[in-house]
């Protein structure tokens, strides 16, 4: 009988090693993703700060922050402000580079993260275009002699160009890298919702532009007179809760859209699709509509409480909306186009008058005797710089730059009576009274007789 013997040996499995080319590809794609994140941050952060500064000016109003925005302004999208107006001198209306950098920065990061297939091929050319845009920013800044004002933008442009070149290089070396694990992005969405000012700024920019622009005017006025009494009025308004909710819904829609992008392997699309549709339909549409209505009510409340007691403000319906405001005790006139200041003028005498009547004897009891005719505000001024008194000068202030286009006085600067005929908003207490078939005119009662003036030119009619 044959004996069978057994020998115990310890089994050691062959080590699983990654192929050299796969290891190199994984390292390359990691480098590409890191560089792409920095490029996107360079494009995104100045725009995010600018968005909050432009639409919540009562919260982020500081000279250092304004200096930062001026330095990076060539990287900021002008469309973040109503009608694409420039917020700082360094912004160039129609300048496409910031939009291009934001779009291609996101495409580069997403395409580099796919790591395999036709989608990953998009990363290299997108990064190449970003690199070219960065060089254009630097060269344009130098060529226009704006290195003092926009040196930071030029340096960031050079940095973005270098990182974009690295992204393109490493992406081309990433062939064969393993597929990445799905990234949910939920953490970034939660951070966006927690940082209250970001959804609020988005909500104001989309659904509540008028309240953001009025906040800008109130902040400027409070700086001019050295008081913060009205500074936080717009931020404390209840309309901001709806504007925050609307901005939050916009963030959820963007998150859902990103989650629906390929690659789709290893994750469900049902949840982001359902959440995105709900946020778009219920949130953006319903809440956004309510936010617009609440903004109109809030704007009326703010305008009923002017930043400087005893003065007035005027708006002409347009998009963007031009306005003129009498501040600093009715000594200073300020004009705006939407949010943007367009001019100031300081009167040698106060534009607040008292004891004035119309030529027919109707008392003018409002703080100013004034009326808006198209692009000209006609206002009566007193004879003293700091004391409201009888009207002795009639001024025609331009709505475009606050400068006086004409002025009128009776003989020997005698006090006069005044009536504003055929205005768009009749108000007897302010002297805006019209009789049948009267043309737009300013009726002035001087001691020597009645004079009728053309409100646009100040010439006699």
């Amino acid at each position: 009988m044959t004996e069978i013997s057994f020998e115990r040996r310890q089994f050691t499995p062959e080590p699983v090693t990654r192929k050299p080319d796969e290891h190199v590809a994984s390292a390359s794609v990691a480098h590409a993703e890191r560089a792409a994140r920095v490029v996107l941050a360079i494009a995104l952060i100045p725009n995010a700060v600018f968005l909050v500064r432009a639409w919540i000016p009562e919260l982020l109003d500081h000279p250092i922050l304004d200096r930062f925005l001026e330095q990076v302004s060539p990287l900021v999208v002008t469309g973040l402000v109503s009608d694409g107006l420039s917020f700082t001198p360094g912004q160039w209306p129609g300048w496409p580079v910031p939009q291009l950098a934001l779009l291609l920065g996101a495409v580069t990061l997403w395409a580099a993260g796919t790591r395999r297939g036709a989608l990953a091929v998009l990363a290299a050319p997108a990064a190449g275009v970003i690199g070219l845009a960065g060089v254009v920013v630097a060269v344009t800044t130098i060529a226009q002699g704006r290195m003092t004002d926009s040196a930071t933008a030029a340096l960031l442009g050079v940095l973005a160009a270098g990182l974009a070149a690295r992204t393109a290089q490493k992406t081309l070396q990433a062939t064969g890298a393993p597929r990445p694990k799905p990234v949910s992005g939920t953490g970034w969405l939660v951070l966006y919702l927690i940082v209250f000012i970001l959804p609020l700024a988005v909500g104001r920019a989309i659904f509540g532009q008028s309240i953001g622009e009025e906040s800008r005017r109130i902040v400027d006025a409070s700086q001019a007179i050295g008081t913060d009494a009205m500074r936080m009025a717009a931020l404390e308004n209840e309309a901001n809760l709806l504007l925050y909710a609307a901005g939050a819904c916009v963030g959820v829609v963007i998150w859902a859209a990103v989650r629906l992008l390929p690659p789709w392997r290893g994750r469900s699309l049902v949840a982001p699709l359902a959440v995105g549709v709900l946020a778009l339909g219920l949130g953006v549409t319903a809440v956004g509509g309510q936010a617009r209505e609440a903004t109109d009510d809030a704007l009326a409340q703010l305008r009923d409480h002017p930043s400087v007691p005893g003065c007035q403000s005027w708006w002409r319906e347009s998009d963007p909306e031009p306005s003129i405001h009498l501040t600093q005790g009715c000594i200073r006139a300020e004009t705006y186009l939407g949010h943007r200041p367009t001019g100031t003028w300081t009167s040698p005498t106060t534009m607040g008058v008292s004891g004035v009547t119309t030529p027919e004897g109707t008392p003018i009891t409002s703080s100013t005797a004034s009326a808006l005719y198209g692009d000209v505000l006609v206002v009566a001024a007193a004879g003293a710089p700091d004391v409201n008194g009888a009207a002795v000068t009639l001024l025609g202030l331009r709505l475009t730059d606050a400068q006086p286009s004409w002025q009128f006085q009776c003989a020997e600067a005698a006090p006069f009576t005044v009536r504003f005929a055929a205005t768009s908003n009749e108000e007897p207490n302010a002297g805006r009274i019209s009789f049948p078939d009267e043309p737009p005119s300013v009726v002035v009662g001087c001691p020597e007789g009645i004079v009728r003036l053309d409100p646009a030119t100040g010439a006699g009619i």
Side-chain angles (χ1 to χ4, degrees):
M1 184 174 180
T2 305
E3 292 186 0
I4 300 176
S5 60
F6 297 90
E7 181 179 356
R8 179 178 294 178
R9 294 182 181 180
Q10 186 175 2
F11 174 72
T12 303
E14 289 287 332
V16 179
T17 58
R18 183 175 292 178
K19 297 179 181 180
D21 57 341
E22 185 176 319
H23 177 76
V24 171
S26 297
S28 296
V29 80
H31 286 301
E33 285 184 321
R34 284 196 294 268
R37 287 192 186 97
V38 177
V39 171
L40 183 58
I42 291 174
L44 188 61
I45 291 175
N47 283 278
V49 176
F50 175 87
L51 182 70
V52 176
R53 175 67 180 87
W55 294 110
I56 318 180
E58 65 270 32
L59 190 61
L60 294 183
D61 180 46
H62 196 278
I64 295 179
L65 183 59
D66 288 343
R67 181 60 178 165
F68 167 76
L69 288 177
E70 185 177 354
Q71 282 286 318
V72 300
S73 56
L75 305 177
V76 175
V77 179
T78 54
L80 293 178
V81 181
S82 58
D83 266 22
L85 298 173
S86 298
F87 191 79
T88 65
Q91 280 185 290
W92 304 320
W95 173 248
V97 169
Q99 295 93 317
L100 196 65
L102 282 172
L103 176 61
L104 294 183
V107 170
T108 301
L109 181 58
W110 165 69
T114 62
R115 303 190 183 187
R116 187 178 292 182
L119 297 176
V121 178
L122 295 174
V129 176
I130 291 178
L132 180 61
V135 173
V136 169
V137 170
V139 172
T140 304
T141 302
I142 296 173
Q144 292 190 351
R146 300 191 57 86
M147 281 300 292
T148 302
D149 298 329
S150 305
T152 302
L155 294 175
L156 288 176
V158 172
L159 177 61
L163 290 171
R166 181 174 178 81
T167 301
Q169 175 196 6
K170 293 299 181 180
T171 301
L172 295 175
Q173 297 175 356
T175 305
R179 292 186 181 275
K181 296 180 180 180
V183 178
S184 68
T186 306
W188 290 107
L189 176 61
V190 172
L191 180 63
Y192 169 78
L193 298 177
I194 290 176
V195 181
F196 180 85
I197 58 177
L198 291 177
L200 177 57
V202 171
R204 281 191 179 184
I206 298 176
F207 304 102
Q209 290 191 359
S210 56
I211 196 172
E213 293 168 355
E214 182 67 7
S215 301
R216 174 71 266 160
R217 185 193 71 80
I218 289 175
V219 169
D220 288 345
S222 67
Q223 289 177 337
I225 64 175
T227 178
D228 291 333
M230 288 292 295
R231 186 182 180 85
M232 303 300 288
L235 188 63
E236 294 169 354
N237 197 284
E238 60 184 13
N240 288 306
L241 294 177
L242 286 172
L243 291 171
Y244 166 82
C249 289
V250 172
V252 173
V253 170
I254 294 175
W255 168 84
V258 172
R259 289 282 292 146
L260 293 174
L261 293 175
W264 298 298
R265 179 179 297 181
R267 56 177 173 166
S268 172
L269 302 181
V270 176
L273 182 61
V275 172
V277 171
L278 183 64
L280 181 62
L282 178 62
V284 174
T285 304
V287 177
Q290 293 183 1
R292 289 185 190 277
E293 294 179 2
T295 297
D296 293 338
D297 295 338
L299 187 62
Q301 294 175 16
L302 289 174
R303 289 178 175 177
D304 285 341
H305 297 82
S307 55
V308 182
C311 295
Q312 285 193 337
S313 298
W314 295 86
W315 292 263
R316 183 168 58 79
E317 291 187 5
S318 180
D319 188 19
E321 188 178 52
S323 60
I324 184 168
H325 312 271
L326 305 182
T327 65
Q328 295 190 31
C330 297
I331 293 289
R332 181 183 174 93
E334 302 173 353
T335 53
Y336 291 79
L337 183 62
H339 79 285
R340 184 183 61 173
T342 56
T344 61
W345 178 72
T346 301
S347 171
T349 61
T350 179
M351 290 173 280
V353 294
S354 64
V356 182
T357 67
T358 67
E360 296 77 23
T362 302
I364 297 177
T365 57
S366 69
S367 57
T368 64
S370 56
L372 185 64
Y373 291 90
D375 288 332
V376 176
L377 175 67
V378 181
V379 58
D386 56 356
V387 179
N388 289 8
V392 297
T393 304
L394 206 60
L395 299 168
L397 304 181
R398 292 191 295 261
L399 196 61
T400 54
D401 58 7
Q403 301 300 310
S405 59
W406 60 266
Q407 70 174 26
F408 170 84
Q409 287 184 328
C410 296
E412 299 181 358
F416 55 75
T417 58
V418 64
R419 179 171 60 85
F420 305 99
T423 64
S424 58
N425 55 335
E426 298 284 291
E427 186 177 340
N429 291 338
R432 296 191 288 273
I433 306 172
S434 300
F435 297 134
D437 300 326
E438 245 187 333
S441 57
V442 183
V443 183
V444 184
C446 293
E448 59 269 22
I450 298 295
V451 179
R452 191 178 292 269
L453 304 177
D454 181 349
T457 63
I461 298 177

